[in-house]
Structures are given as C-alpha cells and as structure tokens.
Amino acid sequence: MDKPSGYHARKPPSSAPRWGGREGCTASINAQDGYPRSGNGASRTGTCGHQMCAEMLLHPDTDPQSYLGMEMVFWVHPESDCSGEDWRWRFSIMADPCVEIIATHTVDQELIDLCMVHVEYVRERVALTGATMYVENSVPIDHITGEVGATGSCDVALVYVKETAGFNIKYGGYRAEKRVIEIIDLKLGRMPVLAYDVVTPVHTDIITGAVVPEVVEPYEQLAMYASGMIRKLGIGFEDVILTISQPPLKSVSQWSGTVAQLQDTIDRLSHRATECDLNPTFRPSASNCHFCRASGNCAAQTEVVIGQALVGFDDVGPVAPAPVHERRLGDLFAALPMVQDWCSAVMDRTRAALTAGEAVVRSDGLSYKLVKGKAGARKWVDEGKVVQAIAENGIPVWLMYESKLVSPTTAEKFAAPKKAKEGERPLSPAIAPDHWTKLQELIIQVEVQPTIVLETDPRPSLSMTAGFDDVPDQPNSDLF
C-alpha cells in the first residue's frame, strides 16, 4: 500500500545511529510515540537547501540567484497527521483548506552560496567518473527495518564503472572493471559529521609494538541509502563510496569499501530493528538522547543522569570531598552533553505544563508557578514613523543615529564578486580586490579555547608544552 505524502518511517535512516548504532537505544522508537515532530530554524534551512540542490542538479540551466527571497512553507494536516513542505508559489495553488502552515523559511544569499558548493562538487564527481546520476530518489529500507513500505530519500547516488588492475580475457591483459555506487549526502549544519564511525582507534600493540590501524564502519544513515539504492536498481555492485558533503565547514568526508563490508553494517541495523520491535532496550547516552523527542521524560535517561553521572554529589558532609580520579573525571566530562540536554528538556517540559495550566509538584508537596519575567529591551514600534517624527519635530539627526563598522565577515561579502546571469557582464564587487587585500591586513582573529574531543577524532592534537616551564613531579598533587 502506498504511503501518504509526508509519511515518516518509524525507523528512518536519519536517526539510524540512535536506534541502530552499535550502542543504539532500540527503545527510543516506541518511547517517542505521542510526541509530535517539531522542526526548528536549522532543520528548515536544511530542508530548503536540499530542495534547492535537487532542483539545480536536475535542471542545470537553473539560475541559483533566482532563489534569492523565495519562501518555503512548512505545513501539517491535523486530520491525517501528514506534514510536508513546498515553495510558497506552488503551495498556494494546491493548498488544502484543512492544511495548516506551521512555519516558513526565506532563502538568503548565504544559503545559495552553500548550496552551490555542494552542487558544483556533485557535478565534478559526475564529470570525473562519467556516472549516471540519481537525485532525491525514494529508496526501499523495509528489508532493513522490517516496516512494510518504509522508504528513505537519498540525496544523490552515482553509478559508474571503474577500471582496476587484474587479468581480464576481454582485454587480453591486466584490466578489470568494477561497478561502483557512490552516495553523496548534503549536511548544512555546523556540527561535524563523518561518513564513517571509528570502531577501534589506531593504537600500538602492547606485545609486538606494531602500529594497528584504525577500524572504521560506514555511517549508518548513508549505509541504509546505499543498500536501498542497490536493492532498487537491482544491479550487482562490487564497491561502495559514501560521502558527506558539508559546505558550512568546507568539509568532504568519505568511506569506501566493498558491498560485503557494507552488508556487515546492514546486518547489524536489521538486528537492531528487530530488537526495536521485539525486545526494545533503553541505552541512554549523549548522542542517543540529543534528538530523541522523549528526552526529559524518560526514566532511563533520568536514572543515568541522577543515578550515575551525578552520583556522590548529594553526599557532601563536613569531611573534605574525595579527589576525583583521572578516569572518573573523564566519565564525568563524557556525561556533560547528556546532562545539559536533560536539563533543557526538563525545563521545556515544565514550562509547557505550567503554560497549559497543569500542576507541577515536588515530592514535598510544594508546587511551581509562572511569574512575570524580567522586562525585555525596549524597541520602536515602527522605525519609519520614528524617522518621520524626527524630521517633523526638528530633532537633531546626529542625536538619534549611531554608526559602527561592519564585521570582517560582512565586509568579505561586499568584496565577493557578484554573480551575474549567463551571458551578462560580471558585476564588480562593492569593495575592490586590492582594497579588500589592504583591509585583510587589519584583521585579527581572537584565539578560542581548545576543544576537548575523544582520541578517535581525526583532528590532530595540540601540543600543550610550548610556552610552559617544566613542572616538577608532584606526587602529592590534589588535582586527581
């Protein structure tokens, strides 16, 4: 049976790391029942960008600048629980009177520029490989999730043949062909996303002293797209390439391997999907709980935060607290993201309950209430009328206006060449290149605190010894 427009699979590829990961929370699928899906500015920007990229890839003659100022509407149909999005001009023609618009998003120049980075990358890959390109294809995932008719939407799939070394009678020499499927997924967020997960980091064998290379697995979301696309095409492939294109970070991350290696991850996802249905298990963690709609109303999550992450903090007495062991400090730091998410979720849930007139009571009988908050900053109701009043009443203009320099980021946009339509003369930037060069000499960037990450992160470690005097050993140090 065909699913209605706006249908969401219960085990979608986008949340596969949560329900199907090596430490996936298979109970999160059922735990989210009853909680409505809600988007935010970031997710709506991503949806808008994906639509733009798909249209430009399918229609190469599309002028990217034609999207500037276009509005996308996000709708919901309360009676059928369907939801979706479309451009305003197209939506107004086909709108159902029962459909409610819940949000809108307007395309700006920054989004156009980011989308063009992705589009040009895909076009380069097609030109380099001679691939057949599939854009925004609905691919089957029911063979993985066990959910009849379930599908996912694959951003871009490239299918091509590459020559490799090997004996081939057809060529009478050492030439062979391998069929390759390449999945390219667009990410417009600023949180780094890799096309692979590090299972075992590179390390030195304690017995042989040999360096053991890292072991990686394909990112679950892209693995599902690849498996679904292979099933849809019905073609035998030898190699798979999974790519994350992340323009905001100027990053491209790749995993490559054989279909057999891909299948290992698919088998694990299938096992987890079965567990979701037959033996759902809670596995709270920072990554599993972050986007879960049940966050803040989950007993398992609360138990981890209160019973494990914060254990010992309620035992403060007159005796000096015990020092935190080095390994325990690492465990506490690892728990911070989940604790922060849990705090935010509980705050949101409490505010929503009080706003709806529901009682929020502590175990000692005291209840919470909403009171008037701190007054916000004052602002003009209508700046145009204020300007008119200034002129009519002879108020000195210099009293009512203040000016300041724009940021280097804004200035750089004025220095960027303006895009012109095909066949027209390129437009000169507001700031000439030689002038921008001189301005760049006057820019500094404030140093930020180093970021703490796990050793599996691919970024190189900072050397923290430069600039510090040698510190003698302090066996009685109370740091740990």
Side-chain angles (χ1 to χ4, degrees):
M1 177 174 126
D2 291 338
K3 299 296 180 182
S5 175
Y7 166 75
H8 292 278
R10 282 177 59 80
K11 308 182 194 81
S14 58
S15 60
R18 185 184 71 236
W19 61 261
R22 296 176 65 84
E23 300 298 329
C25 181
T26 52
S28 64
I29 299 299
N30 294 330
Q32 294 183 108
D33 286 344
Y35 294 94
R37 293 178 175 83
S38 58
N40 53 39
S43 65
R44 287 189 281 272
T45 298
T47 300
C48 199
H50 276 76
Q51 180 68 23
M52 292 165 58
C53 289
E55 292 177 359
M56 286 188 282
L57 287 170
L58 290 172
H59 307 286
D61 294 335
T62 301
D63 177 12
Q65 291 304 120
S66 65
Y67 288 100
L68 187 62
M70 281 182 61
E71 185 180 52
M72 178 168 280
V73 296
F74 295 80
W75 56 267
V76 63
H77 192 278
E79 296 180 3
S80 64
D81 195 33
C82 288
S83 60
E85 63 283 327
D86 211 337
W87 296 117
R88 168 75 73 175
W89 64 269
R90 196 157 52 199
F91 175 82
S92 60
I93 298 174
M94 56 184 290
D96 184 316
C98 296
V99 167
E100 298 178 7
I101 296 177
I102 55 175
T104 63
H105 186 82
T106 302
V107 177
D108 58 15
Q109 187 61 50
E110 181 181 14
L111 182 57
I112 293 175
D113 293 341
L114 293 176
C115 287
M116 284 310 300
V117 171
H118 173 72
V119 169
E120 289 170 1
Y121 173 76
V122 174
R123 289 173 177 167
E124 287 175 1
R125 290 297 300 160
V126 173
L128 181 65
T129 61
T132 299
M133 179 176 64
Y134 300 84
V135 178
E136 284 297 334
N137 263 236
S138 178
V139 298
I141 58 172
D142 53 342
H143 64 294
I144 304 172
T145 68
E147 183 182 0
V148 178
T151 61
S153 183
C154 177
D155 289 356
V156 175
L158 306 182
V159 174
Y160 54 92
V161 175
K162 71 175 182 179
E163 292 185 357
T164 60
F167 184 76
N168 189 308
I169 298 177
K170 174 182 176 182
Y171 295 108
Y174 284 87
R175 294 177 66 189
E177 292 181 346
K178 282 189 175 182
R179 281 165 294 194
V180 182
I181 183 166
E182 182 172 343
I183 304 298
I184 304 177
D185 194 66
L186 169 65
K187 301 294 183 187
L188 287 168
R190 297 187 179 276
M191 182 68 70
V193 183
L194 300 177
Y196 55 86
D197 295 319
V198 178
V199 178
T200 305
V202 59
H203 62 281
T204 302
D205 187 284
I206 58 175
I207 298 178
T208 65
V211 175
V212 181
E214 67 179 3
V215 177
V216 299
E217 288 184 349
Y219 185 51
E220 290 91 348
Q221 179 183 5
L222 272 64
M224 290 183 69
Y225 292 150
S227 179
M229 199 69 195
I230 291 173
R231 185 164 177 252
K232 180 174 183 174
L233 295 175
I235 300 174
F237 291 93
E238 286 79 30
D239 289 346
V240 182
I241 298 176
L242 306 180
T243 303
I244 295 287
S245 167
Q246 197 165 10
L249 301 182
K250 300 178 181 179
S251 168
V252 172
S253 173
Q254 281 191 336
W255 175 90
S256 60
T258 64
V259 171
Q261 290 172 320
L262 175 75
Q263 190 59 43
D264 288 341
T265 297
I266 297 302
D267 290 342
R268 188 237 300 159
L269 286 167
S270 298
H271 176 76
R272 287 294 194 210
T274 301
E275 186 179 306
C276 289
D277 298 330
L278 303 181
N279 184 32
T281 303
F282 286 98
R283 296 185 181 92
S285 68
S287 57
N288 287 343
C289 298
H290 185 63
F291 289 113
C292 180
R293 300 194 302 279
S295 180
N297 193 25
C298 173
Q301 179 195 30
T302 300
E303 173 61 27
V304 170
V305 172
I306 301 297
Q308 296 182 29
L310 303 182
V311 66
F313 284 88
D314 56 350
D315 295 333
V316 179
V319 182
V324 178
H325 187 270
E326 179 179 356
R327 184 172 295 277
R328 176 62 176 152
L329 180 60
D331 292 339
L332 291 175
F333 183 81
L336 285 183
M338 183 165 64
V339 173
Q340 292 166 343
D341 283 346
W342 177 81
C343 291
S344 297
V346 171
M347 175 69 77
D348 292 343
R349 185 183 169 209
T350 302
R351 186 179 298 278
L354 293 174
T355 301
E358 301 173 6
V360 178
V361 186
R362 294 194 329 194
S363 57
D364 59 6
L366 292 176
S367 61
Y368 288 92
K369 63 181 181 180
L370 291 174
V371 297
K372 187 176 180 180
K374 182 180 178 181
R378 296 182 297 171
K379 62 180 183 180
W380 302 112
V381 175
D382 187 329
E383 291 190 359
K385 291 183 178 179
V386 174
V387 172
Q388 183 179 353
I390 291 173
E392 291 176 350
N393 294 278
I395 301 174
V397 174
W398 62 269
L399 280 177
M400 302 300 293
Y401 286 90
E402 60 182 10
S403 62
K404 64 177 183 179
L405 284 170
V406 299
S407 68
T409 301
T410 301
E412 186 174 22
K413 293 180 180 179
F414 292 140
K418 296 182 179 180
K419 295 181 180 179
K421 293 183 179 180
E422 187 175 354
E424 295 184 358
R425 179 183 298 178
L427 302 174
S428 300
I431 299 178
D434 55 335
H435 295 165
W436 173 237
T437 300
K438 293 179 180 179
L439 288 176
Q440 285 180 297
E441 297 173 358
L442 303 175
I443 297 174
I444 61 170
Q445 193 158 18
V446 179
E447 289 190 14
V448 296
Q449 287 276 29
T451 299
I452 303 173
V453 298
L454 278 174
E455 62 178 334
T456 53
D457 190 284
R459 289 169 289 184
S461 300
L462 292 178
S463 174
M464 303 306 295
T465 58
F468 291 89
D469 295 331
D470 291 337
V471 179
D473 292 336
Q474 298 179 11
N476 297 320
S477 172
D478 61 355
L479 181 58
F480 297 112

